[in-house]
Amino acid sequence: MPVDFSGTWNLTSNDNFEGYMLALGIDFATRKIAKMLKPQKVIKQDGDSFSIHTTSTFRDYLLQFKIGEEFEEDNKGLDNRKCKSLVTWDNDKLVCVQTGEKKNRGWTHWIEGDDLHLELHCENQVCKQIYKRA
Ligand code: VLP
């Protein structure tokens, strides 16, 4: 049985989000707001097609992709830098490489117990988030 990320997930921990936002060049005022947020992710997984909708009281971000198909990502409302993104499976982990202006940019999602884990990385910064089912 392949892992199923589908569901609604609420952020419960967020380690070094500040470092990750600094690496992305997010301005001071936006960082102050963003670090107070408790985003929710609504994930829909249908075969190799995914949608990950990250919502908050401040901004929303919708990402839709198919495994193994590179796409242009606009990061609208985040850092607004365009990049080429590719999501693949690494065993049961969902790995995204975001190729563009920023070195070493990407993220990894996996499920551990009943929790959704997300590691976001950019340059030398790693942010680790944990979400619980809503
Ligand atoms: C920008 C950096 C906060 C901070 C300012 C706006 C959307 C994996 C992947 C799917 C992400 C989320 C990236 C968050 C970057 C914040 C607004 C926060 C709510 O998720 O699930 O795109 O990359």
Side-chain angles (χ1 to χ4, degrees):
M1 280 290 278
V3 59
D4 189 2
F5 289 84
S6 297
T8 301
W9 305 88
N10 292 328
L11 182 78
T12 58
S13 81
N14 196 0
D15 182 51
N16 195 37
F17 190 46
E18 176 74 5
Y20 176 75
M21 288 194 290
L22 275 167
L24 283 177
I26 305 298
D27 69 82
F28 178 86
T30 305
R31 292 200 314 274
K32 295 306 124 188
I33 297 167
K35 74 178 185 189
M36 300 302 293
L37 301 173
K38 292 278 175 270
Q40 183 172 74
K41 285 193 191 277
V42 177
I43 302 182
K44 292 176 181 155
Q45 178 177 345
D46 176 16
D48 274 352
S49 297
F50 283 78
S51 89
I52 301 180
H53 195 190
T54 307
T55 64
S56 75
T57 52
F58 178 51
R59 278 179 199 163
D60 294 355
Y61 188 66
L62 175 63
L63 187 68
Q64 293 175 290
F65 58 87
K66 280 187 182 162
I67 298 294
E69 290 186 13
E70 191 175 59
F71 58 99
E72 179 144 316
E73 188 174 2
D74 61 10
N75 295 289
K76 202 169 177 179
L78 305 180
D79 67 321
N80 296 301
R81 282 188 195 84
K82 289 190 170 64
C83 60
K84 298 272 195 200
S85 298
L86 176 66
V87 184
T88 56
W89 288 112
D90 174 11
N91 296 307
D92 282 346
K93 290 188 176 184
L94 210 49
V95 177
C96 179
V97 175
Q98 297 172 307
T99 305
E101 197 185 321
K102 287 288 171 184
K103 299 294 176 207
N104 191 38
R105 181 172 186 173
W107 52 259
T108 302
H109 264 300
W110 69 97
I111 289 179
E112 214 173 286
D114 292 325
D115 298 338
L116 175 72
H117 288 242
L118 172 61
E119 201 172 86
L120 296 155
H121 54 89
C122 181
E123 295 176 335
N124 60 341
Q125 296 296 316
V126 180
C127 168
K128 180 68 204 298
Q129 301 184 337
I130 301 176
Y131 293 79
K132 295 203 178 291
R133 281 199 190 271

